[in-house]
Amino acid sequence: MAENLIQRLEAAVTRLESFYRGSHSHSQPQAAPLDAASASSEPSIIAFDDLITQYVDKVSDASEKIGGQIKDISIVLKQAFSAQKDLLVKIKQTQKPDAAGMAEFLRPLNEKIGEAVKMTEGPRSDFFNHVRSVAESLTALAWIAYTGKNCGMSMPIAHVEECWQSAEFYSNKVLVEFKNKDPSHVEWAKALKELYVPGLRDYVKSHYPLGPVWSATGATVSAPSKSSGPGAPAAPNPPPASLASSSSSSSSSSRPQQGMSAVFQEISSKPVTAGLKKVTDDMKTKNRTDRAGFVSSGEKEPRKSAPAAAAKVGPPKFELVMGRKWVVENQIGVKDLSIDDCDPRQTVYIFGCKDSVLQIKGKVNNITVDKCTKMGVLFTDVVAAFEIVNCSSLEVQCQGAAPTISIDNTAGVQLYLSKDSLEASITTSKASEVNVMVPPKDPNADMAEHPMPHQYIHTYQDGHFVTTPVSHSGA
């Protein structure tokens, strides 16, 4: 009885072992990478298509109503999002590349971002803030390059939010400028913000909070190899033979030693001073009549150096373009510039001026000062905003009202406000040495000077950061 039971148990164990070996011999191999069709049907890709339909198309529709440069930059925006969708599909078919391979992988997206940045260069247009807000916002698409906490980037969600905060500075300018002028521009600016917050931010939060997931068995991406030509390079010339192993020539065949030994023997066989020219008494400095042994106190003729290459400056302009825009460009050392006949619908654009003074008599819609140095601007009233960008050493006086004054990437501004402009909103970004002069209550007193802070302290308190300006106190 016991023997039969043991035999039955052994037979059962044998069957289990054979079943176990058979199941593992037919186990599934590591998952193969998805093809393009399968990758495009993934939930994350479908959700990105919905993002483009819901938000990107909304920006495009708003730009169609405005046209011109805004439509052009919106086309680049849509192309950049399409390029990111293609990269998200390829990620599911590609192994995680190294740094050089990542740059090559992201090339299509980088080209579109570079195209948008290039549109912000050159003379400032009426829609500069529109273009700049798109160019700044497109850097949010770089979240796709996040590869871990040591990659030098913020995490994807935080990266999107930070990039939009940088772009929102220019988007808010669009809202302020066109709030009471053209609702189409306001609609476009709001659609752009919704694209990133909440649009792209929520998409990344739902599908890629820790960055993209690369394929484990897909294709590899590497930087293109650098080659000088289609053919293989020619082999280099052989190095010269060593002096120690060189053979002696027929003229030196009688020398007892060869190579370096012969060289040292020839050097040591000659006197140390051989070949030196003898210095006579009349050649010594103390005996020369054409040179004094002391430093002369007389004025020395200045050395004429080659003139430095002059900076490229365009022709000066002072004109009204199409009855809507005053253009003041490349004015150098002109102290009596004046715009007398103004209209509240007109704008003033001042570019590339140096050591000049411009007076604007009357109310205009907007005033922009761009890339000017040692420039003085005196204006009466402005409807939308007075803007200073990329300047240094400016003096600005407002004699009337100005609802918004913005200072961006500028060093050295002396701003004089009138009683009517004390309620102006002053916005600064990357600005230093900004002083605001405020009229006193006592008409006989001097104007009060208020420096605008450009250094800040950020402290973490109660779950969030508190920012306070740095105050310097002296004895």
Side-chain angles (χ1 to χ4, degrees):
M1 181 71 180
E3 293 180 357
N4 293 334
L5 180 60
I6 292 173
Q7 290 178 357
R8 291 173 60 187
L9 289 174
E10 290 179 349
V13 169
T14 302
R15 287 196 299 271
L16 288 174
E17 289 178 349
S18 61
F19 175 77
Y20 178 81
R21 287 193 298 268
S23 62
H24 277 69
S25 63
H26 294 87
S27 60
Q28 293 182 351
Q30 193 171 10
L34 299 174
D35 56 14
S38 300
S40 299
S41 60
E42 287 285 299
S44 59
I45 306 302
I46 296 175
F48 199 83
D49 283 331
D50 295 339
L51 172 72
I52 293 177
T53 303
Q54 182 177 357
Y55 294 105
V56 179
D57 289 350
K58 187 176 181 181
V59 177
S60 300
D61 293 341
S63 67
E64 290 284 349
K65 300 177 183 178
I66 305 172
Q69 196 174 20
I70 300 177
K71 180 180 178 181
D72 295 339
I73 192 65
S74 299
I75 292 174
V76 176
L77 172 75
K78 187 168 185 177
Q79 292 173 347
F81 272 82
S82 298
Q84 175 145 103
K85 178 198 169 182
D86 295 339
L87 294 180
L88 290 173
V89 173
K90 291 181 180 178
I91 282 176
K92 299 181 179 297
Q93 306 169 297
T94 308
Q95 297 183 33
K96 181 179 177 181
D98 55 11
M102 180 67 76
E104 178 65 21
F105 182 80
L106 298 176
R107 183 189 297 274
L109 180 59
N110 289 336
E111 289 177 351
K112 291 302 173 184
I113 296 176
E115 186 177 345
V117 172
K118 191 174 182 180
M119 293 179 67
T120 65
E121 300 173 354
R124 190 182 177 110
S125 67
D126 292 337
F127 305 122
F128 172 81
N129 292 323
H130 299 72
V131 178
R132 187 67 182 271
S133 61
V134 173
E136 292 284 344
S137 68
L138 283 179
T139 57
L141 298 180
W143 69 265
I144 198 174
Y146 181 82
T147 56
K149 62 181 181 179
N150 296 324
C151 69
M153 290 177 56
S154 301
M155 294 190 68
I157 300 173
H159 177 79
V160 172
E161 292 176 340
E162 291 168 1
C163 292
W164 171 247
Q165 289 174 4
S166 177
E168 193 172 21
F169 176 80
Y170 299 95
S171 177
N172 286 341
K173 289 185 177 182
V174 176
L175 294 174
V176 171
E177 182 178 357
F178 294 93
K179 182 178 180 180
N180 299 321
K181 291 170 54 179
D182 191 341
S184 299
H185 294 263
V186 176
E187 178 187 353
W188 181 89
K190 291 182 177 179
L192 183 66
K193 180 176 182 178
E194 292 174 358
L195 169 60
Y196 292 96
V197 180
L200 183 61
R201 180 196 62 189
D202 290 354
Y203 169 80
V204 174
K205 184 177 181 180
S206 300
H207 298 279
Y208 299 102
L210 302 178
V213 180
W214 301 81
S215 173
T217 59
T220 58
V221 179
S222 59
S225 59
K226 298 180 180 179
S227 59
S228 58
N237 294 327
S242 172
L243 287 174
S245 62
S246 60
S247 58
S248 60
S249 61
S250 57
S251 60
S252 60
S253 58
S254 59
R255 295 179 184 176
Q257 299 182 16
Q258 306 293 333
M260 289 300 296
S261 300
V263 175
F264 285 113
Q265 181 183 9
E266 183 176 356
I267 293 175
S268 60
S269 63
K270 294 182 180 180
V272 176
T273 59
L276 296 180
K277 184 177 181 181
K278 183 171 181 60
V279 179
T280 58
D281 290 339
D282 60 336
M283 297 173 62
K284 296 178 180 179
T285 303
K286 65 179 181 178
N287 297 328
R288 292 181 61 174
T289 58
D290 59 339
R291 275 189 197 176
F294 56 88
V295 178
S296 173
S297 60
E299 293 186 359
K300 190 175 181 180
E301 183 181 356
R303 184 177 60 184
K304 296 181 180 180
S305 59
K312 293 183 179 179
V313 179
K317 292 183 180 180
F318 190 92
E319 59 185 0
L320 178 62
V321 179
M322 299 180 66
R324 297 294 299 272
K325 180 178 180 181
W326 285 96
V327 177
V328 183
E329 293 185 0
N330 305 317
Q331 301 289 337
I332 310 297
V334 185
K335 305 290 187 179
D336 56 352
L337 297 170
S338 178
I339 299 177
D340 301 324
D341 187 12
C342 298
D343 188 285
R345 295 174 297 178
Q346 294 174 348
T347 61
V348 180
Y349 179 62
I350 309 165
F351 176 80
C353 297
K354 182 178 180 181
D355 196 22
S356 301
V357 178
L358 171 65
Q359 184 175 4
I360 304 171
K361 301 177 182 179
K363 180 183 291 187
V364 294
N365 183 271
N366 186 79
I367 302 174
T368 302
V369 186
D370 187 7
K371 292 184 180 179
C372 294
T373 305
K374 297 181 180 180
M375 182 73 182
V377 180
L378 176 66
F379 68 97
T380 306
D381 295 291
V382 65
V383 177
F386 182 92
E387 301 174 279
I388 301 173
V389 185
N390 303 324
C391 296
S392 62
S393 302
L394 259 64
E395 289 191 14
V396 179
Q397 182 175 356
C398 176
Q399 296 178 318
T404 302
I405 299 174
S406 65
I407 305 171
D408 182 18
N409 195 26
T410 296
V413 176
Q414 197 80 0
L415 177 61
Y416 298 86
L417 298 180
S418 65
K419 292 183 179 180
D420 296 332
S421 59
L422 291 179
E423 297 182 358
S425 173
I426 302 176
T427 303
T428 61
S429 174
K430 293 188 290 186
S432 61
E433 303 174 36
V434 179
N435 297 312
V436 181
M437 309 295 291
V438 177
K441 296 181 179 179
D442 184 2
N444 297 323
D446 295 332
M447 298 187 73
E449 182 176 3
H450 299 270
M452 296 291 101
H454 64 275
Q455 291 180 322
Y456 302 91
I457 297 176
H458 310 280
T459 56
Y460 189 73
Q461 300 176 7
D462 299 329
H464 64 279
F465 279 95
V466 178
T467 302
T468 56
V470 175
S471 60
H472 299 280
S473 59

